[in-house]
Amino acid sequence: MKILIFLTFFPFFIFGQLSPKVNRLYKQIAKSKIAEGKNISVDGHESELYKIHEKMDKIATDQEIEYIAFHGNPVNKYYATNILFKKKSKSLEKLFKNYLKNKDSVEVLRGCLRGISHMDYEIYTRVTFEKQIINQADWEKKWKDSMIINKKENTPEYLNGVDILNTETKWTNKEIDSLVCKLDEIILDNQESSKKLIDLICAYHLYENVKVPYYEKIAYFEKRYNSQYIKKYLNFCRYGIREKAIDF
């Protein structure tokens, strides 16, 4: 009976922590059982749900977004986590531990691909993917600077590209490397971490050609999961054997 009462009033408890405007956006997002990437379907049109999350990003306080990330429904958690990452929130590690412990999951649609994913996995992949964003932003800045130095800012090439090439990030490669190490430690210190997460760690560092100093912690999971990713990465760390990474 107590559980039923709690579940009945839980939505009101959530909304009571949010401003009326953020509440409305939260409710709109909560109507969907599936989180959507920016572009979806065969034609790659921009998701309306994703646009709502962008509105939330603009008006919600950091405290509201953090509250949603910890206590919201799965789809709202997914978007709130995305916002916290973009803001370089200091609560990311705590949130990651929470998702790892509680095994939070969400169904996600990206393009035409749809599937259920764990939130800890989503955070880790989001963090590691940021390096591509950083490299893209750096390339765009160099291109724009080069065009301006060569006095080509009034050419069709520059005018057509300047608004399209607008990649932004608050992160640096050094900061991403540091955060990845912290997430690795959290994962490897938990003996119940999933095979998928351990495989992801090994595949990522093998791709980066990096031997992490804590690689021996992975040995426990090699025995438990008997994974090709783990074996390949440990061979690289222990013996310098560089094998081609498996597509993940």
Side-chain angles (χ1 to χ4, degrees):
M1 185 65 179
K2 290 182 180 179
I3 294 175
L4 180 61
I5 293 173
F6 173 76
L7 292 176
T8 301
F9 287 97
F10 183 69
F12 298 98
F13 179 69
I14 285 284
F15 301 148
Q17 310 300 315
L18 309 176
S19 69
K21 289 183 178 180
V22 176
N23 265 344
R24 285 194 289 272
L25 296 177
Y26 180 95
K27 290 177 181 178
Q28 290 180 53
I29 292 174
K31 291 178 182 178
S32 176
K33 294 182 179 180
I34 305 173
E36 297 175 350
K38 185 173 184 178
N39 300 101
I40 58 173
S41 193
V42 177
D43 60 0
H45 69 271
E46 191 169 0
S47 161
E48 292 301 320
L49 196 64
Y50 191 90
K51 291 179 182 179
I52 295 172
H53 124 269
E54 290 183 316
K55 291 179 182 177
M56 181 184 286
D57 184 8
K58 292 178 180 178
I59 68 170
T61 64
D62 291 352
Q63 290 74 22
E64 287 176 312
I65 295 299
E66 185 173 327
Y67 188 84
I68 292 171
F70 279 98
H71 305 287
N73 77 313
V75 177
N76 270 292
K77 281 183 177 181
Y78 174 87
Y79 287 123
T81 300
N82 184 55
I83 294 171
L84 289 175
F85 177 76
K86 289 193 296 182
K87 291 176 178 290
K88 293 176 67 174
S89 171
K90 294 181 179 179
S91 65
L92 281 172
E93 291 172 55
K94 181 180 176 182
L95 187 62
F96 185 79
K97 289 179 181 178
N98 180 272
Y99 291 156
L100 182 65
K101 177 182 177 182
N102 296 325
K103 297 180 171 57
D104 290 81
S105 62
V106 63
E107 190 166 2
V108 186
L109 174 66
R110 297 185 182 91
C112 298
L113 300 177
R114 174 175 168 177
I116 296 175
S117 179
H118 283 90
M119 289 296 297
D120 49 17
Y121 184 88
E122 288 294 320
I123 290 180
Y124 196 96
T125 52
R126 180 67 181 86
V127 171
T128 54
F129 182 74
E130 192 67 12
K131 280 199 169 184
Q132 295 185 40
I133 303 297
I134 294 168
N135 292 337
Q136 178 65 23
D138 287 345
W139 181 88
E140 290 175 9
K141 183 180 184 304
K142 290 176 182 177
W143 180 82
K144 291 176 183 178
D145 289 346
S146 175
M147 294 293 284
I148 293 172
I149 290 172
N150 290 293
K151 299 180 179 180
K152 294 182 178 180
E153 61 266 41
N154 293 320
T155 63
E157 181 185 0
Y158 181 82
L159 296 174
N160 291 334
V162 67
D163 291 330
I164 299 174
L165 303 178
N166 56 3
T167 305
E168 295 181 348
T169 178
K170 294 182 178 180
W171 292 90
T172 66
N173 280 317
K174 186 176 180 179
E175 289 169 335
I176 291 297
D177 288 340
S178 176
L179 181 55
V180 167
C181 286
K182 291 174 182 176
L183 298 184
D184 285 354
E185 294 278 10
I186 293 170
I187 294 169
L188 296 174
D189 285 342
N190 184 339
Q191 294 186 349
E192 298 303 314
S193 291
S194 68
K195 176 179 180 293
K196 192 172 184 179
L197 268 180
I198 307 300
D199 281 349
L200 184 59
I201 289 176
C202 294
Y204 172 70
H205 290 303
L206 192 59
Y207 174 80
E208 289 283 302
N209 201 31
V210 171
K211 174 183 174 181
V212 295
Y214 43 84
Y215 72 88
E216 286 293 357
K217 287 187 177 183
I218 298 173
Y220 165 80
F221 297 96
E222 179 187 23
K223 296 176 181 178
R224 179 171 182 175
Y225 293 130
N226 190 29
S227 161
Q228 290 187 60
Y229 288 98
I230 299 174
K231 289 179 181 177
K232 283 179 178 290
Y233 184 63
L234 288 179
N235 282 337
F236 165 68
C237 292
R238 291 169 176 167
Y239 314 116
I241 300 174
R242 185 70 174 88
E243 300 180 61
K244 183 180 179 181
I246 309 170
D247 291 335
F248 192 67

